[in-house]
Amino acid sequence: MTTNGERKHYQFCILCEAACGMIASVDQDNAVTLRPDPDHPNSAGHACAKGILYPAVTEDPDRVTHPLRRLQDGSFERVSWDEAFDDIGKRLNKLIAEHGQECIGTFFGNPTAFNYRGFLSLFGLAAALDSKHFYSTATVDVMNYWVVGELLYGHNFIIPVPDVDRTDFFLCVGANPFVSHGSLLNIGNMRKSMLDVTKRGGRVVVVDPRRTETAKNFEHVGIIPGTDPWLIGAMLKVILDEGLEDSAALAATRGGRGALERVVGDIDIDRAASETGVSAEDIAQLARDFANAKSACAYGRCGASLGPFSTLTKYLLDALNLATGNWDRPGGSVLGDPWLDTDGFTKRLKMTGYDRWRSRVDGHPEVAGLFPVATMPTEIRTPGKGKLRVLISGFSNSVMAAPNSTDMEDALSELDLLISLDPYITETSRLAHYVLPPTLWYERENMPLFTQPHSNVPYAQWTEAIVPPRGEAREDSWIIDQITRRIGLVPSPAPGMQLLGKLGIRIKAEHLVDILVRLGPHGDRFGLRRGGLSRKKLMRELKGAPVKLHDAIPTGGAAKRLFTKDKRIHLDHPLFVQEARRMAAAPAVTSEEFPLLMFSIRELRTHNTWMHNVPKLMAGGFKQTLRIHPDDAATRGIEDGDSVTVSSAVGVINVEAHVSDEVIPGSIGLPTHWGHKGGQRLANTVGGANYNVLTANGADAVDKPSGQAIVNGVAVQVVKLAPAVEERVARSSSAATEPEFA
Ligand SMILES: Nc1nc2c(c(=O)[nH]1)N[C@H]1C(S)=C(S)[C@@H](COP(=O)(O)OP(=O)(O)OC[C@H]3O[C@@H](n4cnc5c(=O)[nH]c(N)nc54)[C@H](O)[C@@H]3O)O[C@H]1N2
Ligand SMILES: Nc1nc2c(c(=O)[nH]1)N[C@H]1C(S)=C(S)[C@@H](COP(=O)(O)OP(=O)(O)OC[C@H]3O[C@@H](n4cnc5c(=O)[nH]c(N)nc54)[C@H](O)[C@@H]3O)O[C@H]1N2
Ligand code: SF4
Ligand SMILES: [Mo]
């Protein structure tokens, strides 16, 4: 499309799982402006400020646009790609000769979910290295889902999604979709989809320690952070006790009612009430209403995933949907309609699984080949065979996102070689020996590999690069490929690829994915199905325009998609009974020293660790504030706007208090991923503190079955900052202030 010298292109936003359709206008100077695509089948004109403002990231003067090498004094010098790769190759080969490939680790973070070629290359690199050191911030996000996926459905990545568009009762546990726009689902306009539930006479109940932007619009159940498995477990107990379950649905599972009874049968409702802060009557009523609704779906996200016993929580949420007959039916918990079979592909290549091996030092089970990021510092420090000495890290700022940031920072500094693929000098990449700059969003082609199996309105889309990359930025997949070439490997998990690589044949990620699409349920079968999908058709013929595949997620055939041998859902894994017992026996989290429970908050104007450098998002004095209930503030002499010190068993930070009854008494909420000290100048000046300085990463500080970090429901104390300390803090932060963006 071209009008007035401006080119227009279909794109979709690669920041979050809403994957909003966009129309990008490109002028003669290749400057891009974005607006929502009103005709997109899924997002239908929805987009948020972060997505629209993305050009401020691509054009950011602080963006790294050529390879950098760190010097002794911590500063960086510009080097050419060849210089960087040659030196990296030399150092890698030397370390491999001395310690074997097992000393090399790989690490990926959140943006891999939106960069399909980068993701496949990094996964391929990890597989080719055949080193057990494979880490991700997914272990501070979705690890519990991946364990439950494997144990219940036979595949890590089988994640049922709530059919919000057709449900009569949406139970939203520990999620704030009005801000996050939804996670582990791809609903183009979550706000509208949720508001429509109540408009058509249904109910939405939000379970959250905070009356969030979402909860304000619906029924709110204030819960004590970290106690969700008590609530959902008790609801299930009521349902079984009162015979409200769908017996046929339970009988179809392996283990059936008996298996579920063994997990929740011993739950005492009064204990659950005191653990959660929700009265026994309210728990029972919620259970009855959920079970009696025409259709219902229970959905949990970060709030339910990042607390203690999170694997149990996820099991209970899925069991609640199953036990009430809400599995695989309209308005219930359903399996999406993928247009490429990533489940079959990852299974065949053995990229998925659970507990096939354990971590060297702390003995954590692998999940989808990954070990918890919480154990990485230990693996770096513990001598012996298999010690982690090199990390190739991309798409992540682990120093901010992983538990016990101080320890993570120290450990990363001890590596023999740290390579970071990142468009910024971050708190993590500033420790790297090399920072290698990737292309961003519309500088590369994209297809929604990660979100496509979870779309409420299934659609296909594949977009092209529409502007040249800034400076010398190169594709993540190209960078990874170049590194592997220097050590004689091919970044692929496919058997035979290493051999083919030796013959000079390397199959690119885009061609592999194209094959999967063409063989997929909507594919062109290489010409055998007229009008079917292929990369060429989507990207070139349709020029990136989205194609609607169905009006809604098809239901009724989910059993065929399971990877369990008997095609049944396995409710009876003994792990869940053990977890329920461990939870009942667990000591109280709070103590006299640390009497408050802290939980994480996300905000509309930030995106994980990396949009704090966008001037318009930070405008108007936007800053991080700790939410504390008026009662807790009063007993501590804290007033709105005061500086306070938050301490935990692990660390101490200073933040500004916002006194508000939006949080329940006894709990404090703190926005995460603040407190920058890298090369993003505005981000450094907006202040704030790093939440994860307060969180723990010991062997027992994680959810045991999954290794998922525990960052919510963390015991802390809050005190008013003494004036002397305050003065010191003010002085040290003003020293870091850069005037440019004031
Ligand atoms: N306390 C607490 N901790 C948490 C959470 C919480 O709720 N509370 N949430 C957790 C969750 S859910 C997540 S997902 C993690 C997020 O933590 P991380 O996975 O570390 O992810 P991001 O902050 O998204 O990191 C993005 C990094 O990738 C870079 N980047 C952006 N685009 C690209 C690209 O195309 N290529 C490359 N190579 N790099 C790119 C950015 O500059 C940035 O440095 O944090 C987790 N940590
Ligand atoms: N604007 C914006 N959007 C984002 C992101 C972002 O950083 N900013 N990040 C993206 C990423 S990586 C992800 S994973 C998704 C996350 O998507 P969501 O999970 O929907 O987002 P969060 O804001 O983390 O919501 C977690 C909610 O859980 C509540 N909570 C905390 N602890 C507990 C608890 O113990 N129990 C219960 N029941 N609730 C609790 C918090 O108050 C919060 O409201 O968002 C994505 N979208
Ligand atoms: S909601 Fe998510 S996908 Fe949509 S524009 Fe905002 S950041 Fe992008
Ligand atoms: Mo996430």
Side-chain angles (χ1 to χ4, degrees), residues 277-509:
V278 184
S279 73
E281 297 73 45
D282 285 352
I283 294 177
Q285 198 54 48
L286 190 58
R288 289 175 200 130
D289 292 352
F290 188 92
N292 291 329
K294 237 178 11 210
S295 68
C297 49
Y299 160 78
R301 222 24 301 271
C302 284
S305 280
L306 291 169
F309 303 102
S310 60
T311 299
L312 179 63
T313 309
K314 170 64 176 153
Y315 168 87
L316 293 169
L317 284 165
D318 283 19
L320 181 60
N321 290 322
L322 276 168
T324 51
N326 282 301
W327 159 251
D328 191 27
R329 70 166 223 205
S333 174
V334 298
L335 285 191
D337 180 51
W339 42 286
L340 68 162
D341 180 17
T342 38
D343 291 344
F345 169 73
T346 47
K347 194 73 174 179
R348 277 194 295 280
L349 295 183
K350 300 193 170 48
M351 287 160 76
T352 66
Y354 176 52
D355 204 7
R356 291 167 296 172
W357 52 84
R358 296 209 165 191
S359 70
R360 183 178 65 109
V361 185
D362 290 332
H364 293 294
E366 62 77 34
V367 182
L370 292 163
F371 286 141
V373 66
T375 202
M376 202 172 79
T378 311
E379 292 287 344
I380 294 173
R381 292 212 181 93
T382 309
K385 193 171 148 43
K387 174 178 148 76
L388 177 58
R389 294 166 194 274
V390 180
L391 194 65
I392 302 172
S393 170
F395 322 85
S396 173
N397 187 351
S398 46
V399 166
M400 294 212 115
N404 199 342
S405 298
T406 316
D407 192 43
M408 176 59 86
E409 188 171 0
D410 290 349
L412 289 177
S413 316
E414 291 173 29
L415 286 165
D416 291 346
L417 182 60
L418 174 61
I419 298 161
S420 178
L421 281 65
D422 205 292
Y424 285 111
I425 303 285
T426 68
E427 293 61 40
T428 302
S429 67
R430 78 191 184 105
L431 307 171
H433 298 88
Y434 282 94
V435 181
L436 306 177
T439 53
L440 295 173
W441 182 350
Y442 38 72
E443 297 168 341
R444 61 172 189 249
E445 69 168 77
N446 290 301
M447 58 83 62
L449 185 75
F450 177 74
T451 53
Q452 58 88 23
H454 305 150
S455 306
N456 62 328
V457 179
Y459 69 96
Q461 188 162 21
W462 205 318
T463 58
E464 270 186 296
I466 55 170
V467 290
R470 291 250 339 232
E472 293 176 7
R474 298 296 300 259
E475 294 270 328
D476 285 292
S477 52
W478 179 83
I479 301 171
I480 293 163
D481 187 62
Q482 290 298 315
I483 295 174
T484 49
R485 279 173 192 270
R486 299 303 199 276
I487 51 174
L489 293 175
V490 177
S492 169
M497 287 310 274
Q498 303 308 326
L499 201 65
L500 283 180
K502 290 203 178 14
L503 303 172
I505 302 165
R506 301 167 92 85
I507 296 179
K508 289 188 169 163

Side-chain angles (χ1 to χ4, degrees), residues 608-646:
N608 294 349
T609 68
W610 69 289
M611 298 283 282
H612 299 71
N613 214 41
V614 175
K616 281 198 176 144
L617 292 176
M618 293 295 121
F622 181 62
K623 59 187 168 194
Q624 180 196 38
T625 58
L626 173 88
R627 321 297 156 85
I628 183 165
H629 191 271
D631 296 352
D632 296 319
T635 54
R636 290 166 174 78
I638 293 167
E639 286 177 24
D640 199 51
D642 277 352
S643 296
V644 296
T645 299
V646 189

Side-chain angles (χ1 to χ4, degrees), residues 110 140-141 183 301-302 602 608:
N110 175 277
V140 200
D141 190 350
S183 176
R301 222 24 301 271
C302 284
R602 280 187 160 75
N608 294 349

Side-chain angles (χ1 to χ4, degrees), residues 66-245:
H66 41 72
L68 295 176
R69 172 164 54 206
R70 188 159 53 84
L71 303 172
Q72 284 287 335
D73 65 358
S75 66
F76 286 91
E77 67 169 351
R78 178 176 179 169
V79 290
S80 71
W81 280 109
D82 277 344
E83 260 179 284
F85 290 133
D86 289 346
D87 187 41
I88 289 169
K90 214 160 55 203
R91 292 166 77 164
L92 284 176
N93 283 318
K94 184 166 179 286
L95 284 157
I96 291 170
E98 284 166 15
H99 308 286
Q101 278 175 200
E102 62 194 322
C103 75
I104 306 176
T106 35
F107 193 114
F108 69 89
N110 175 277
T112 35
F114 311 97
N115 181 341
Y116 85 97
R117 288 195 286 183
F119 167 74
L120 289 172
S121 304
L122 204 72
F123 236 97
L125 167 64
L129 282 168
D130 197 23
S131 155
K132 299 285 183 275
H133 288 300
F134 190 23
Y135 303 90
S136 169
T137 37
T139 66
V140 200
D141 190 350
V142 294
M143 236 39 199
N144 57 334
Y145 276 65
W146 289 354
V147 170
V148 171
E150 187 69 26
L151 299 184
L152 256 57
Y153 315 112
H155 196 302
N156 294 127
F157 303 148
I158 294 202
I159 297 176
V161 293
D163 189 8
V164 184
D165 289 332
R166 288 181 290 190
T167 199
D168 297 286
F169 195 120
F170 182 42
L171 180 64
C172 178
V173 184
N176 189 7
F178 276 39
V179 164
S180 69
H181 305 109
S183 176
L184 295 182
L185 48 76
N186 167 228
I187 297 186
N189 188 344
M190 230 352 221
R191 182 191 173 90
K192 180 176 182 306
S193 287
M194 286 179 73
L195 288 169
D196 283 350
V197 178
T198 46
K199 259 197 212 149
R200 59 177 181 263
R203 285 176 66 188
V204 175
V205 176
V206 180
V207 180
D208 201 299
R210 175 171 170 250
R211 199 169 59 252
T212 58
E213 296 77 356
T214 307
K216 276 179 193 150
N217 294 278
F218 305 105
E219 298 167 57
H220 176 216
V221 175
I223 188 170
I224 295 173
T227 65
D228 301 271
W230 281 107
L231 176 75
I232 313 300
M235 285 175 69
L236 273 164
K237 162 93 169 140
V238 170
I239 287 167
L240 294 183
D241 282 355
E242 300 186 4
L244 300 174
E245 78 278 14

